[in-house]
Amino acid sequence: MQQINIIDAPKHVDEEVKIGVWLTDKRSSGKIAFLQLRDGTAYFQGVVVKSNVSEEVFEIAKKLRQETSFYVTGVIHQDKRSHFGYEIEVSNLEVVGESEDFPITPKEHGIEFLLDNRHLWLRSRRPFAIMRIRDELIRATYTFFHQEGFIKFDAPLLTGTAPEGTTELFATDYFDTEAYLSQSGQLYEEVGAMAFDKVYSFGPTFRAEKSKTRRHLTEFWMIEPEMAFMHQEESLQIQERYIAFLVQSVLDNCQYELKLLDRDPEILARYTKTPYPRISYDEAIKLCQEGGIDIQWGDDFGAPEETYISDQFEQPVFVLNYPKAIKPFYMKSHPTRDDLYICADMLAPEGYGEIIGGSEREADYDKLKAEMVKKGLDLEAYDWYLDLRKYGSVPHAGFGLGLERAITWICHLDHLREAIPFPRMINRLRP
Ligand code: 4AD
């Protein structure tokens, strides 16, 4: 008899199979027991009919506890009423591992309790669906950039520079000096673009965010593409193609997970259509002011402003060309407005705020150096970065997508902490 995973049950209708499972819940009467089963690939129901099995098997079924692991044997049938659409009519059960009282029961639990028990909570349906969508987005990312001619070029995680500003750095002893945990791979991706044309990094990123918000983690994963011989316009087009591709991949391959999360695929389908709308920073400030928000030109957008702006659009929206004072040094100066950089943030719809930050890079040695001096950077620490402008500098652009921000939006979650297996936040380092 074949051993299968639940996910493959549709290929084995009317066949007898064996599956290694855990019990998530159970209901039983004198004559029949309904076992809710999971095996890490899907959730479905096992039906144990007393008259069809030995007395011993029915007794085992009745006594099974939540999270007991066992092999179940039986015939697969269609079950149109369930999420999954199939069930197993049980003929035999063999217990593998007994379970103590499982802390996460089918009733509602508070979020702090669930996070304290993240190592066990991950077995539940909601994290199951989110982590599978996370995996889909990771796979789609590799596929997309491979198709577009990029190579993956890994940036170091221990660094000596701070591309996104010095206030959010995690420092660590590094022999007789200090190192920082990477807050962006971008500067190294620029190196890569000069050597390999189109590159991207995808790795953990660290920011000592002291604020507790639903949009910030201290450790998150960022995808950072960088393209040589490319201006901002082409970069924006890659960004919208990439986001549309991610959403389409989830629609193509994660319908079951979307159903578990109650996420309406028709809403997501809107985001597969490009181009996305664009407004300038100047226009976005005006839009907020007209909406009664107290904000002045020169201010950065916080969560309420980003939500307000994105609420005016049905798709992700690009906000273009921010004031220099609120963005990092490496961005290219605007050709006609000396107070602006050529950059863009992409804001996700439905109130999710910024998911991408990107820009054209300053390719001119003197202009870049002047900007660094103005922003008080230690030029010596960046000598290798400045070198890129000395030896055949070319226009180049890039961007960074926060993976957890994308997951939170696509899965329609309230908080980034559910978008990563083990969230790291100001007050959470365990499990
Ligand atoms: O806008 P950011 O800071 O841009 C950069 O780091 C650039 N170096 C990217 C580049 O051009 N290569 O961050 C980029 C994205 C944000 O849009 C957001 O999605 C995510 O990274 N992000 C965070 N995600 C979770 N927690 C945090 N604390 C985040 N900070 C930024």
Side-chain angles (χ1 to χ4, degrees):
M1 186 195 329
Q2 204 179 344
Q3 186 172 331
I4 65 163
N5 279 118
I6 296 177
I7 196 80
D8 294 322
K11 294 184 222 147
H12 296 273
V13 175
D14 294 335
E15 287 173 28
E16 192 177 41
V17 296
K18 180 174 177 177
I19 313 177
V21 295
W22 289 266
L23 187 82
T24 65
D25 200 5
K26 151 191 99 184
R27 236 167 0 103
S28 61
S29 70
K31 294 193 175 113
I32 191 160
F34 296 101
L35 310 178
Q36 303 308 319
L37 309 173
R38 65 170 189 90
D39 75 340
T41 70
Y43 296 78
F44 83 156
Q45 174 168 273
V47 183
V48 195
V49 181
K50 187 173 182 183
S51 55
N52 293 350
V53 296
S54 70
E55 209 161 294
E56 189 197 344
V57 165
F58 196 72
E59 280 311 301
I60 295 173
K62 276 198 335 199
K63 287 192 192 127
L64 286 172
R65 297 161 65 112
Q66 189 186 349
E67 287 308 312
T68 295
S69 54
F70 52 102
Y71 287 108
V72 63
T73 305
V75 176
I76 303 291
H77 297 299
Q78 266 200 318
D79 168 27
K80 291 212 173 101
R81 293 151 304 168
S82 72
H83 265 127
F84 186 64
Y86 297 85
E87 64 181 18
I88 185 165
E89 187 189 334
V90 178
S91 54
N92 196 22
L93 297 170
E94 299 161 58
V95 171
V96 177
E98 300 283 358
S99 176
E100 297 182 16
D101 278 346
F102 196 65
I104 299 172
T105 59
K107 68 167 200 195
E108 291 250 327
H109 296 283
I111 185 70
E112 289 304 320
F113 176 83
L114 289 172
L115 286 169
D116 286 342
N117 288 286
R118 183 64 167 168
H119 55 300
L120 303 174
W121 180 27
L122 282 164
R123 304 177 183 197
S124 305
R125 286 169 198 239
R126 189 177 157 85
F128 167 89
I130 298 167
M131 289 309 133
R132 292 211 152 229
I133 289 176
R134 181 183 170 102
D135 175 63
E136 180 62 33
L137 294 178
I138 293 169
R139 259 183 317 140
T141 291
Y142 287 132
T143 305
F144 177 81
F145 287 108
H146 186 69
Q147 280 174 4
E148 297 257 341
F150 285 68
I151 74 158
K152 183 159 180 286
F153 180 77
D154 300 315
L157 297 186
L158 286 170
T159 68
T161 51
E164 303 300 319
T166 49
T167 51
E168 292 165 358
L169 278 180
F170 282 112
T172 178
D173 284 344
Y174 193 74
F175 306 107
D176 49 4
T177 176
E178 207 174 44
Y180 310 114
L181 298 185
S182 171
Q183 50 171 202
S184 163
Q186 181 197 319
L187 305 190
Y188 297 96
E189 295 313 298
E190 290 186 53
V191 172
M194 299 306 135
F196 304 99
D197 188 46
K198 290 201 286 263
V199 295
Y200 70 106
S201 63
F202 173 43
T205 308
F206 305 91
R207 303 226 177 143
E209 302 277 0
K210 295 202 184 69
S211 55
K212 280 198 223 167
T213 86
R214 57 181 64 218
R215 294 182 184 175
H216 291 96
L217 297 167
T218 54
E219 180 181 294
F220 63 99
W221 287 65
M222 186 153 54
I223 293 118
E224 295 192 275
E226 194 72 31
M227 301 78 75
F229 290 105
M230 223 180 248
H231 294 283
Q232 175 73 341
E233 174 57 37
E234 297 143 289
S235 171
L236 294 179
Q237 289 173 23
I238 292 176
Q239 292 173 45
E240 54 198 7
R241 270 209 304 284
Y242 172 41
I243 297 299
F245 186 88
L246 290 182
V247 174
Q248 189 61 55
S249 301
V250 169
L251 286 170
D252 288 346
N253 301 318
C254 301
Q255 286 292 330
Y256 172 58
E257 287 77 4
L258 293 174
K259 222 190 282 176
L260 288 177
L261 292 169
D262 241 341
R263 177 60 155 148
D264 184 352
E266 276 176 32
I267 295 178
L268 284 178
R270 265 193 234 149
Y271 312 140
T272 60
K273 300 193 178 61
T274 58
Y276 295 156
R278 303 175 182 189
I279 58 168
S280 67
Y281 169 86
D282 293 357
E283 289 166 336
I285 288 285
K286 228 186 277 162
L287 196 66
C288 288
Q289 287 170 341
E290 284 164 8
I293 295 174
D294 181 20
I295 190 166
Q296 308 307 319
W297 194 96
D299 292 346
D300 205 354
F301 301 120
E305 292 81 27
E306 286 182 358
T307 299
Y308 181 78
I309 296 163
S310 64
D311 277 350
Q312 315 307 310
F313 300 89
E314 290 238 305
Q315 281 173 297
V317 55
F318 286 113
V319 180
L320 310 180
N321 306 337
Y322 286 68
K324 286 186 171 176
I326 55 172
K327 290 289 179 190
F329 70 94
Y330 51 69
M331 297 182 172
K332 185 177 171 64
S333 295
H334 192 281
T336 57
R337 285 273 302 273
D338 194 44
D339 52 348
L340 303 180
Y341 284 133
I342 299 181
C343 61
D345 285 354
M346 187 195 287
L347 310 184
E350 303 175 77
Y352 282 95
E354 182 196 328
I355 51 171
I356 290 183
S359 68
E360 185 161 339
R361 319 307 189 189
E362 184 52 76
D364 181 88
Y365 180 86
D366 294 322
K367 286 187 190 158
L368 177 62
K369 198 168 152 190
E371 211 61 34
M372 293 171 79
V373 170
K374 239 190 263 169
K375 294 205 157 154
L377 288 148
D378 170 13
L379 294 182
E380 221 171 282
Y382 292 90
D383 55 357
W384 57 272
Y385 181 68
L386 279 159
D387 270 355
L388 301 178
R389 277 72 179 169
K390 284 191 198 163
Y391 306 104
S393 186
V394 297
H396 61 291
F399 61 94
L401 170 78
L403 178 67
E404 291 75 18
R405 296 263 180 104
I407 295 168
T408 303
W409 161 53
I410 289 172
C411 295
H412 206 258
L413 313 177
D414 286 340
H415 198 299
L416 250 62
R417 63 193 165 201
E418 283 192 78
I420 188 163
F422 299 98
R424 295 291 174 250
M425 294 172 291
I426 194 165
N427 56 358
R428 187 161 291 282
L429 206 49
R430 124 174 243 288

